[in-house]
Amino acid sequence: MADVAFDGVVKHDFATGTTTELTYGGGWVGGEAAFAPDPTRPDDEDGGWLLTYVTDLATARYDLVVADAAS
């Protein structure tokens, strides 16, 4: 079984047909992003954050990426 690793996140808006990408940088990979809702933006479909741990394959260093889901 092969390992699965992602080098970023892609957001596609089906209503507008636009696509936005967030890449982690060369050599950095992450797992599946989790959505954490923002209680101050309850009526916003994208009102929250995407959270994922990423790892630098060259050094095995890791970090937490927190991205605003609206942008």
Short mmCIF file of all heavy atoms in Angstrom, two decimals:
data_model
loop_
_atom_site.label_atom_id
_atom_site.label_comp_id
_atom_site.label_asym_id
_atom_site.label_seq_id
_atom_site.Cartn_x
_atom_site.Cartn_y
_atom_site.Cartn_z
N MET A 1 0.84 -1.18 0.00
CA MET A 1 0.00 0.00 0.00
C MET A 1 0.89 1.24 0.00
O MET A 1 1.81 1.36 0.79
CB MET A 1 -0.90 -0.03 1.23
CG MET A 1 -1.86 1.07 1.31
SD MET A 1 -2.90 0.66 2.73
CE MET A 1 -4.00 1.90 2.82
N ALA A 2 0.61 2.18 -0.88
CA ALA A 2 1.41 3.39 -1.00
C ALA A 2 0.97 4.44 0.01
O ALA A 2 -0.21 4.54 0.34
CB ALA A 2 1.28 3.95 -2.41
N ASP A 3 1.94 5.23 0.48
CA ASP A 3 1.62 6.37 1.35
C ASP A 3 1.03 7.49 0.49
O ASP A 3 1.41 7.67 -0.67
CB ASP A 3 2.87 6.88 2.05
CG ASP A 3 3.38 5.90 3.08
OD1 ASP A 3 2.58 5.12 3.61
OD2 ASP A 3 4.59 5.93 3.36
N VAL A 4 0.13 8.26 1.07
CA VAL A 4 -0.46 9.40 0.39
C VAL A 4 -0.03 10.66 1.13
O VAL A 4 -0.17 10.75 2.34
CB VAL A 4 -2.00 9.30 0.36
CG1 VAL A 4 -2.61 10.54 -0.27
CG2 VAL A 4 -2.44 8.05 -0.38
N ALA A 5 0.50 11.62 0.38
CA ALA A 5 0.92 12.89 0.97
C ALA A 5 0.50 14.02 0.02
O ALA A 5 0.50 13.86 -1.19
CB ALA A 5 2.42 12.92 1.17
N PHE A 6 0.13 15.14 0.58
CA PHE A 6 -0.35 16.28 -0.18
C PHE A 6 0.65 17.43 -0.06
O PHE A 6 1.16 17.68 1.03
CB PHE A 6 -1.72 16.74 0.33
CG PHE A 6 -2.76 15.66 0.30
CD1 PHE A 6 -3.06 14.94 1.43
CD2 PHE A 6 -3.44 15.37 -0.87
CE1 PHE A 6 -4.03 13.94 1.42
CE2 PHE A 6 -4.40 14.38 -0.91
CZ PHE A 6 -4.70 13.66 0.24
N ASP A 7 0.88 18.16 -1.16
CA ASP A 7 1.77 19.31 -1.09
C ASP A 7 1.00 20.63 -1.03
O ASP A 7 1.56 21.69 -1.17
CB ASP A 7 2.74 19.32 -2.27
CG ASP A 7 2.06 19.50 -3.62
OD1 ASP A 7 0.81 19.50 -3.68
OD2 ASP A 7 2.79 19.63 -4.62
N GLY A 8 -0.31 20.54 -0.78
CA GLY A 8 -1.14 21.73 -0.65
C GLY A 8 -2.61 21.39 -0.59
O GLY A 8 -3.00 20.23 -0.51
N VAL A 9 -3.42 22.44 -0.64
CA VAL A 9 -4.89 22.32 -0.58
C VAL A 9 -5.45 23.12 -1.75
O VAL A 9 -4.96 24.20 -2.06
CB VAL A 9 -5.43 22.89 0.74
CG1 VAL A 9 -6.94 22.85 0.79
CG2 VAL A 9 -4.85 22.15 1.93
N VAL A 10 -6.49 22.58 -2.38
CA VAL A 10 -7.16 23.27 -3.48
C VAL A 10 -8.61 23.50 -3.08
O VAL A 10 -9.29 22.60 -2.59
CB VAL A 10 -7.10 22.43 -4.78
CG1 VAL A 10 -7.90 23.10 -5.89
CG2 VAL A 10 -5.66 22.19 -5.20
N LYS A 11 -9.07 24.74 -3.29
CA LYS A 11 -10.47 25.10 -3.03
C LYS A 11 -11.10 25.46 -4.36
O LYS A 11 -10.64 26.36 -5.06
CB LYS A 11 -10.53 26.30 -2.08
CG LYS A 11 -11.93 26.84 -1.86
CD LYS A 11 -11.87 28.09 -1.00
CE LYS A 11 -13.20 28.78 -0.92
NZ LYS A 11 -13.13 29.99 -0.13
N HIS A 12 -12.15 24.73 -4.73
CA HIS A 12 -12.85 25.02 -5.98
C HIS A 12 -14.26 25.49 -5.65
O HIS A 12 -15.00 24.82 -4.95
CB HIS A 12 -12.91 23.79 -6.89
CG HIS A 12 -13.53 24.08 -8.21
ND1 HIS A 12 -12.88 24.78 -9.19
CD2 HIS A 12 -14.75 23.80 -8.70
CE1 HIS A 12 -13.68 24.91 -10.23
NE2 HIS A 12 -14.82 24.33 -9.96
N ASP A 13 -14.62 26.67 -6.17
CA ASP A 13 -15.95 27.25 -5.98
C ASP A 13 -16.79 26.89 -7.20
O ASP A 13 -16.58 27.41 -8.29
CB ASP A 13 -15.84 28.76 -5.82
CG ASP A 13 -17.17 29.43 -5.49
OD1 ASP A 13 -18.22 28.92 -5.93
OD2 ASP A 13 -17.15 30.47 -4.82
N PHE A 14 -17.73 25.98 -7.03
CA PHE A 14 -18.56 25.53 -8.15
C PHE A 14 -19.52 26.61 -8.64
O PHE A 14 -19.91 26.61 -9.80
CB PHE A 14 -19.34 24.27 -7.76
CG PHE A 14 -18.46 23.06 -7.62
CD1 PHE A 14 -18.05 22.63 -6.37
CD2 PHE A 14 -18.04 22.38 -8.74
CE1 PHE A 14 -17.24 21.52 -6.24
CE2 PHE A 14 -17.21 21.26 -8.62
CZ PHE A 14 -16.82 20.83 -7.37
N ALA A 15 -19.89 27.55 -7.77
CA ALA A 15 -20.80 28.62 -8.18
C ALA A 15 -20.13 29.60 -9.13
O ALA A 15 -20.74 30.05 -10.10
CB ALA A 15 -21.33 29.35 -6.95
N THR A 16 -18.86 29.92 -8.86
CA THR A 16 -18.16 30.90 -9.70
C THR A 16 -17.19 30.27 -10.69
O THR A 16 -16.73 30.94 -11.61
CB THR A 16 -17.37 31.89 -8.82
OG1 THR A 16 -16.33 31.17 -8.13
CG2 THR A 16 -18.27 32.60 -7.84
N GLY A 17 -16.85 29.01 -10.46
CA GLY A 17 -15.89 28.33 -11.33
C GLY A 17 -14.45 28.70 -11.04
O GLY A 17 -13.56 28.39 -11.82
N THR A 18 -14.19 29.33 -9.89
CA THR A 18 -12.82 29.74 -9.54
C THR A 18 -12.14 28.68 -8.68
O THR A 18 -12.80 27.93 -7.97
CB THR A 18 -12.82 31.08 -8.79
OG1 THR A 18 -13.59 30.95 -7.60
CG2 THR A 18 -13.39 32.20 -9.65
N THR A 19 -10.83 28.66 -8.78
CA THR A 19 -10.02 27.74 -7.99
C THR A 19 -8.92 28.51 -7.29
O THR A 19 -8.28 29.37 -7.90
CB THR A 19 -9.40 26.66 -8.89
OG1 THR A 19 -10.45 25.92 -9.53
CG2 THR A 19 -8.54 25.69 -8.09
N THR A 20 -8.70 28.22 -6.01
CA THR A 20 -7.64 28.83 -5.22
C THR A 20 -6.77 27.71 -4.66
O THR A 20 -7.29 26.70 -4.18
CB THR A 20 -8.24 29.65 -4.05
OG1 THR A 20 -9.17 30.58 -4.58
CG2 THR A 20 -7.16 30.39 -3.30
N GLU A 21 -5.45 27.90 -4.72
CA GLU A 21 -4.52 26.88 -4.22
C GLU A 21 -3.64 27.44 -3.11
O GLU A 21 -3.20 28.58 -3.18
CB GLU A 21 -3.63 26.38 -5.35
CG GLU A 21 -4.37 25.68 -6.46
CD GLU A 21 -3.44 25.18 -7.54
OE1 GLU A 21 -2.29 24.80 -7.22
OE2 GLU A 21 -3.85 25.17 -8.70
N LEU A 22 -3.39 26.61 -2.12
CA LEU A 22 -2.41 26.89 -1.08
C LEU A 22 -1.39 25.76 -1.14
O LEU A 22 -1.75 24.60 -0.94
CB LEU A 22 -3.07 26.92 0.31
CG LEU A 22 -2.13 26.91 1.51
CD1 LEU A 22 -1.32 28.20 1.56
CD2 LEU A 22 -2.89 26.69 2.80
N THR A 23 -0.13 26.09 -1.46
CA THR A 23 0.91 25.07 -1.49
C THR A 23 1.84 25.28 -0.30
O THR A 23 2.06 26.40 0.14
CB THR A 23 1.71 25.11 -2.81
OG1 THR A 23 2.24 26.41 -3.00
CG2 THR A 23 0.82 24.73 -3.98
N TYR A 24 2.38 24.18 0.20
CA TYR A 24 3.20 24.23 1.41
C TYR A 24 4.66 24.57 1.14
O TYR A 24 5.40 24.85 2.06
CB TYR A 24 3.13 22.90 2.15
CG TYR A 24 1.73 22.46 2.48
CD1 TYR A 24 1.32 21.15 2.26
CD2 TYR A 24 0.80 23.34 3.00
CE1 TYR A 24 0.04 20.74 2.57
CE2 TYR A 24 -0.49 22.94 3.30
CZ TYR A 24 -0.86 21.64 3.07
OH TYR A 24 -2.13 21.23 3.36
N GLY A 25 5.09 24.51 -0.10
CA GLY A 25 6.48 24.81 -0.43
C GLY A 25 7.23 23.54 -0.79
O GLY A 25 6.82 22.44 -0.44
N GLY A 26 8.32 23.72 -1.49
CA GLY A 26 9.11 22.59 -1.98
C GLY A 26 9.55 21.65 -0.87
O GLY A 26 10.13 22.07 0.12
N GLY A 27 9.24 20.38 -1.04
CA GLY A 27 9.67 19.37 -0.08
C GLY A 27 8.79 19.21 1.14
O GLY A 27 9.02 18.35 1.97
N TRP A 28 7.78 20.07 1.30
CA TRP A 28 6.86 19.97 2.44
C TRP A 28 5.60 19.23 2.01
O TRP A 28 5.06 19.51 0.94
CB TRP A 28 6.47 21.36 2.94
CG TRP A 28 7.56 22.06 3.69
CD1 TRP A 28 8.57 22.77 3.16
CD2 TRP A 28 7.73 22.11 5.10
NE1 TRP A 28 9.38 23.28 4.15
CE2 TRP A 28 8.88 22.88 5.37
CE3 TRP A 28 7.02 21.59 6.18
CZ2 TRP A 28 9.34 23.13 6.65
CZ3 TRP A 28 7.48 21.85 7.46
CH2 TRP A 28 8.62 22.61 7.68
N VAL A 29 5.14 18.30 2.82
CA VAL A 29 3.91 17.56 2.53
C VAL A 29 3.05 17.50 3.79
O VAL A 29 3.55 17.63 4.90
CB VAL A 29 4.20 16.13 2.02
CG1 VAL A 29 4.94 16.16 0.70
CG2 VAL A 29 4.97 15.33 3.06
N GLY A 30 1.76 17.32 3.58
CA GLY A 30 0.85 17.25 4.71
C GLY A 30 -0.22 16.20 4.49
O GLY A 30 -0.32 15.60 3.42
N GLY A 31 -1.02 16.01 5.49
CA GLY A 31 -2.15 15.09 5.39
C GLY A 31 -3.41 15.85 5.03
O GLY A 31 -3.37 16.98 4.55
N GLU A 32 -4.52 15.22 5.27
CA GLU A 32 -5.81 15.84 4.98
C GLU A 32 -6.06 17.01 5.93
O GLU A 32 -5.84 16.91 7.13
CB GLU A 32 -6.92 14.80 5.14
CG GLU A 32 -8.28 15.30 4.79
CD GLU A 32 -9.35 14.23 4.87
OE1 GLU A 32 -9.01 13.06 5.14
OE2 GLU A 32 -10.52 14.56 4.68
N ALA A 33 -6.52 18.13 5.38
CA ALA A 33 -6.81 19.30 6.19
C ALA A 33 -8.16 19.13 6.91
O ALA A 33 -9.09 18.57 6.36
CB ALA A 33 -6.85 20.55 5.32
N ALA A 34 -8.23 19.62 8.14
CA ALA A 34 -9.47 19.61 8.91
C ALA A 34 -10.02 21.03 8.96
O ALA A 34 -9.26 22.00 9.02
CB ALA A 34 -9.20 19.10 10.33
N PHE A 35 -11.35 21.17 8.95
CA PHE A 35 -11.99 22.48 9.02
C PHE A 35 -12.40 22.75 10.46
O PHE A 35 -13.05 21.92 11.11
CB PHE A 35 -13.23 22.51 8.12
CG PHE A 35 -13.95 23.82 8.14
CD1 PHE A 35 -13.45 24.92 7.46
CD2 PHE A 35 -15.13 23.97 8.86
CE1 PHE A 35 -14.12 26.13 7.47
CE2 PHE A 35 -15.81 25.18 8.89
CZ PHE A 35 -15.30 26.27 8.18
N ALA A 36 -12.02 23.93 10.97
CA ALA A 36 -12.41 24.37 12.31
C ALA A 36 -13.28 25.61 12.15
O ALA A 36 -12.79 26.65 11.69
CB ALA A 36 -11.18 24.69 13.15
N PRO A 37 -14.58 25.53 12.46
CA PRO A 37 -15.46 26.68 12.26
C PRO A 37 -15.13 27.84 13.21
O PRO A 37 -14.69 27.63 14.33
CB PRO A 37 -16.85 26.13 12.54
CG PRO A 37 -16.64 24.90 13.36
CD PRO A 37 -15.28 24.38 13.01
N ASP A 38 -15.37 29.05 12.72
CA ASP A 38 -15.20 30.26 13.51
C ASP A 38 -16.57 30.66 14.05
O ASP A 38 -17.46 30.99 13.27
CB ASP A 38 -14.63 31.37 12.62
CG ASP A 38 -14.44 32.69 13.34
OD1 ASP A 38 -14.86 32.82 14.51
OD2 ASP A 38 -13.85 33.60 12.74
N PRO A 39 -16.77 30.64 15.35
CA PRO A 39 -18.09 30.96 15.90
C PRO A 39 -18.53 32.40 15.65
O PRO A 39 -19.71 32.72 15.77
CB PRO A 39 -17.94 30.68 17.40
CG PRO A 39 -16.48 30.68 17.67
CD PRO A 39 -15.81 30.30 16.39
N THR A 40 -17.60 33.28 15.26
CA THR A 40 -17.98 34.66 14.95
C THR A 40 -18.46 34.83 13.51
O THR A 40 -18.90 35.91 13.13
CB THR A 40 -16.82 35.64 15.20
OG1 THR A 40 -15.77 35.37 14.26
CG2 THR A 40 -16.30 35.51 16.64
N ARG A 41 -18.36 33.76 12.70
CA ARG A 41 -18.81 33.81 11.30
C ARG A 41 -19.75 32.64 11.00
O ARG A 41 -19.55 31.89 10.05
CB ARG A 41 -17.60 33.76 10.35
CG ARG A 41 -16.63 34.91 10.52
CD ARG A 41 -15.52 34.86 9.48
NE ARG A 41 -14.49 33.89 9.87
CZ ARG A 41 -13.48 33.53 9.08
NH1 ARG A 41 -13.37 34.02 7.86
NH2 ARG A 41 -12.59 32.66 9.50
N PRO A 42 -20.82 32.47 11.77
CA PRO A 42 -21.67 31.29 11.62
C PRO A 42 -22.45 31.24 10.30
O PRO A 42 -22.84 30.17 9.85
CB PRO A 42 -22.63 31.37 12.80
CG PRO A 42 -22.71 32.83 13.11
CD PRO A 42 -21.33 33.36 12.82
N ASP A 43 -22.68 32.38 9.66
CA ASP A 43 -23.45 32.40 8.42
C ASP A 43 -22.57 32.34 7.18
O ASP A 43 -23.09 32.39 6.06
CB ASP A 43 -24.33 33.66 8.37
CG ASP A 43 -25.35 33.67 9.51
OD1 ASP A 43 -25.82 32.59 9.90
OD2 ASP A 43 -25.66 34.77 10.01
N ASP A 44 -21.27 32.25 7.36
CA ASP A 44 -20.33 32.21 6.24
C ASP A 44 -19.93 30.76 6.00
O ASP A 44 -19.35 30.11 6.88
CB ASP A 44 -19.10 33.06 6.57
CG ASP A 44 -18.09 33.13 5.45
OD1 ASP A 44 -18.28 32.48 4.40
OD2 ASP A 44 -17.08 33.83 5.63
N GLU A 45 -20.23 30.24 4.81
CA GLU A 45 -19.89 28.85 4.49
C GLU A 45 -18.41 28.57 4.68
O GLU A 45 -18.02 27.48 5.08
CB GLU A 45 -20.29 28.56 3.04
CG GLU A 45 -19.95 27.17 2.57
CD GLU A 45 -20.37 26.92 1.15
OE1 GLU A 45 -20.09 27.78 0.28
OE2 GLU A 45 -20.97 25.88 0.91
N ASP A 46 -17.56 29.56 4.40
CA ASP A 46 -16.12 29.41 4.55
C ASP A 46 -15.61 30.06 5.84
O ASP A 46 -14.42 30.32 5.97
CB ASP A 46 -15.40 30.05 3.36
CG ASP A 46 -15.70 29.34 2.06
OD1 ASP A 46 -15.90 28.11 2.09
OD2 ASP A 46 -15.73 30.01 1.02
N GLY A 47 -16.49 30.30 6.78
CA GLY A 47 -16.12 30.98 8.02
C GLY A 47 -15.41 30.06 8.98
O GLY A 47 -16.02 29.46 9.86
N GLY A 48 -14.11 29.96 8.81
CA GLY A 48 -13.33 29.11 9.70
C GLY A 48 -11.91 28.97 9.18
O GLY A 48 -11.46 29.75 8.35
N TRP A 49 -11.23 27.95 9.67
CA TRP A 49 -9.83 27.73 9.33
C TRP A 49 -9.61 26.30 8.86
O TRP A 49 -10.32 25.39 9.30
CB TRP A 49 -8.93 28.01 10.53
CG TRP A 49 -9.07 29.40 11.04
CD1 TRP A 49 -8.41 30.51 10.59
CD2 TRP A 49 -9.95 29.85 12.07
NE1 TRP A 49 -8.83 31.62 11.28
CE2 TRP A 49 -9.78 31.24 12.20
CE3 TRP A 49 -10.88 29.22 12.88
CZ2 TRP A 49 -10.47 32.01 13.11
CZ3 TRP A 49 -11.59 29.99 13.78
CH2 TRP A 49 -11.37 31.36 13.89
N LEU A 50 -8.63 26.13 7.98
CA LEU A 50 -8.15 24.81 7.62
C LEU A 50 -6.89 24.55 8.43
O LEU A 50 -6.00 25.40 8.49
CB LEU A 50 -7.83 24.73 6.12
CG LEU A 50 -9.01 24.87 5.19
CD1 LEU A 50 -8.53 24.86 3.74
CD2 LEU A 50 -10.03 23.77 5.43
N LEU A 51 -6.82 23.39 9.05
CA LEU A 51 -5.68 23.02 9.89
C LEU A 51 -5.05 21.74 9.36
O LEU A 51 -5.77 20.77 9.08
CB LEU A 51 -6.14 22.76 11.33
CG LEU A 51 -7.01 23.83 11.98
CD1 LEU A 51 -7.60 23.29 13.27
CD2 LEU A 51 -6.20 25.07 12.23
N THR A 52 -3.74 21.73 9.24
CA THR A 52 -3.05 20.50 8.87
C THR A 52 -1.59 20.55 9.33
O THR A 52 -0.99 21.63 9.39
CB THR A 52 -3.11 20.25 7.34
OG1 THR A 52 -2.61 18.95 7.07
CG2 THR A 52 -2.33 21.27 6.57
N TYR A 53 -1.07 19.40 9.69
CA TYR A 53 0.35 19.29 9.99
C TYR A 53 1.09 19.04 8.69
O TYR A 53 0.63 18.27 7.84
CB TYR A 53 0.64 18.14 10.96
CG TYR A 53 0.36 18.48 12.39
CD1 TYR A 53 -0.75 17.98 13.05
CD2 TYR A 53 1.22 19.32 13.10
CE1 TYR A 53 -1.02 18.30 14.37
CE2 TYR A 53 0.96 19.66 14.42
CZ TYR A 53 -0.16 19.14 15.04
OH TYR A 53 -0.42 19.46 16.35
N VAL A 54 2.23 19.69 8.52
CA VAL A 54 3.07 19.48 7.35
C VAL A 54 4.46 19.06 7.81
O VAL A 54 4.90 19.40 8.92
CB VAL A 54 3.16 20.75 6.47
CG1 VAL A 54 1.81 21.08 5.88
CG2 VAL A 54 3.71 21.93 7.22
N THR A 55 5.13 18.29 6.95
CA THR A 55 6.46 17.78 7.26
C THR A 55 7.42 18.11 6.14
O THR A 55 7.09 17.95 4.96
CB THR A 55 6.42 16.24 7.44
OG1 THR A 55 5.48 15.91 8.46
CG2 THR A 55 7.78 15.68 7.82
N ASP A 56 8.61 18.57 6.51
CA ASP A 56 9.69 18.79 5.55
C ASP A 56 10.36 17.44 5.33
O ASP A 56 10.95 16.88 6.26
CB ASP A 56 10.68 19.81 6.10
CG ASP A 56 11.82 20.12 5.16
OD1 ASP A 56 12.03 19.39 4.18
OD2 ASP A 56 12.52 21.12 5.41
N LEU A 57 10.26 16.90 4.12
CA LEU A 57 10.80 15.57 3.85
C LEU A 57 12.32 15.50 4.00
O LEU A 57 12.86 14.45 4.33
CB LEU A 57 10.39 15.12 2.45
CG LEU A 57 8.89 14.91 2.24
CD1 LEU A 57 8.60 14.59 0.78
CD2 LEU A 57 8.36 13.83 3.16
N ALA A 58 13.01 16.61 3.79
CA ALA A 58 14.47 16.61 3.86
C ALA A 58 14.99 16.57 5.29
O ALA A 58 16.03 15.98 5.57
CB ALA A 58 15.03 17.83 3.14
N THR A 59 14.26 17.20 6.23
CA THR A 59 14.77 17.32 7.60
C THR A 59 13.89 16.64 8.64
O THR A 59 14.27 16.57 9.81
CB THR A 59 14.88 18.80 8.00
OG1 THR A 59 13.57 19.37 8.01
CG2 THR A 59 15.78 19.56 7.04
N ALA A 60 12.70 16.18 8.23
CA ALA A 60 11.71 15.58 9.14
C ALA A 60 11.16 16.60 10.14
O ALA A 60 10.54 16.23 11.13
CB ALA A 60 12.27 14.35 9.86
N ARG A 61 11.42 17.89 9.89
CA ARG A 61 10.84 18.95 10.72
C ARG A 61 9.36 19.06 10.38
O ARG A 61 8.95 18.84 9.25
CB ARG A 61 11.55 20.27 10.42
CG ARG A 61 11.43 21.28 11.55
CD ARG A 61 12.21 22.54 11.25
NE ARG A 61 11.22 23.48 10.73
CZ ARG A 61 11.47 24.38 9.81
NH1 ARG A 61 12.65 24.49 9.27
NH2 ARG A 61 10.53 25.20 9.41
N TYR A 62 8.53 19.41 11.35
CA TYR A 62 7.10 19.54 11.10
C TYR A 62 6.57 20.85 11.66
O TYR A 62 7.20 21.50 12.47
CB TYR A 62 6.33 18.36 11.69
CG TYR A 62 6.46 18.22 13.18
CD1 TYR A 62 5.57 18.84 14.03
CD2 TYR A 62 7.51 17.49 13.74
CE1 TYR A 62 5.69 18.74 15.41
CE2 TYR A 62 7.64 17.39 15.12
CZ TYR A 62 6.73 18.01 15.94
OH TYR A 62 6.86 17.92 17.30
N ASP A 63 5.39 21.23 11.15
CA ASP A 63 4.78 22.49 11.56
C ASP A 63 3.27 22.36 11.38
O ASP A 63 2.80 21.50 10.64
CB ASP A 63 5.31 23.64 10.73
CG ASP A 63 5.26 24.99 11.44
OD1 ASP A 63 4.62 25.08 12.52
OD2 ASP A 63 5.83 25.95 10.92
N LEU A 64 2.52 23.22 12.04
CA LEU A 64 1.08 23.28 11.89
C LEU A 64 0.74 24.44 10.98
O LEU A 64 1.16 25.57 11.23
CB LEU A 64 0.40 23.48 13.25
CG LEU A 64 -1.12 23.71 13.21
CD1 LEU A 64 -1.84 22.47 12.69
CD2 LEU A 64 -1.63 24.09 14.59
N VAL A 65 -0.01 24.18 9.91
CA VAL A 65 -0.47 25.23 9.01
C VAL A 65 -1.92 25.56 9.37
O VAL A 65 -2.75 24.66 9.49
CB VAL A 65 -0.39 24.79 7.54
CG1 VAL A 65 -1.08 25.79 6.62
CG2 VAL A 65 1.06 24.60 7.12
N VAL A 66 -2.19 26.85 9.59
CA VAL A 66 -3.54 27.33 9.86
C VAL A 66 -3.85 28.37 8.78
O VAL A 66 -3.17 29.39 8.69
CB VAL A 66 -3.64 27.99 11.25
CG1 VAL A 66 -5.06 28.48 11.51
CG2 VAL A 66 -3.21 27.00 12.34
N ALA A 67 -4.85 28.08 7.95
CA ALA A 67 -5.20 28.98 6.86
C ALA A 67 -6.67 29.38 6.97
O ALA A 67 -7.53 28.55 7.28
CB ALA A 67 -4.95 28.29 5.52
N ASP A 68 -6.96 30.64 6.72
CA ASP A 68 -8.33 31.12 6.71
C ASP A 68 -9.04 30.48 5.52
O ASP A 68 -8.62 30.65 4.37
CB ASP A 68 -8.36 32.64 6.61
CG ASP A 68 -9.75 33.22 6.82
OD1 ASP A 68 -10.75 32.55 6.50
OD2 ASP A 68 -9.83 34.36 7.30
N ALA A 69 -10.10 29.73 5.76
CA ALA A 69 -10.80 29.02 4.69
C ALA A 69 -11.46 29.98 3.70
O ALA A 69 -11.70 29.61 2.55
CB ALA A 69 -11.84 28.09 5.29
N ALA A 70 -11.74 31.20 4.12
CA ALA A 70 -12.37 32.18 3.23
C ALA A 70 -11.41 32.72 2.18
O ALA A 70 -11.83 33.26 1.18
CB ALA A 70 -12.98 33.32 4.04
N SER A 71 -10.11 32.60 2.43
CA SER A 71 -9.14 33.15 1.47
C SER A 71 -8.30 32.05 0.88
O SER A 71 -7.44 32.24 0.07
CB SER A 71 -8.27 34.19 2.14
OG SER A 71 -7.54 33.65 3.20
#
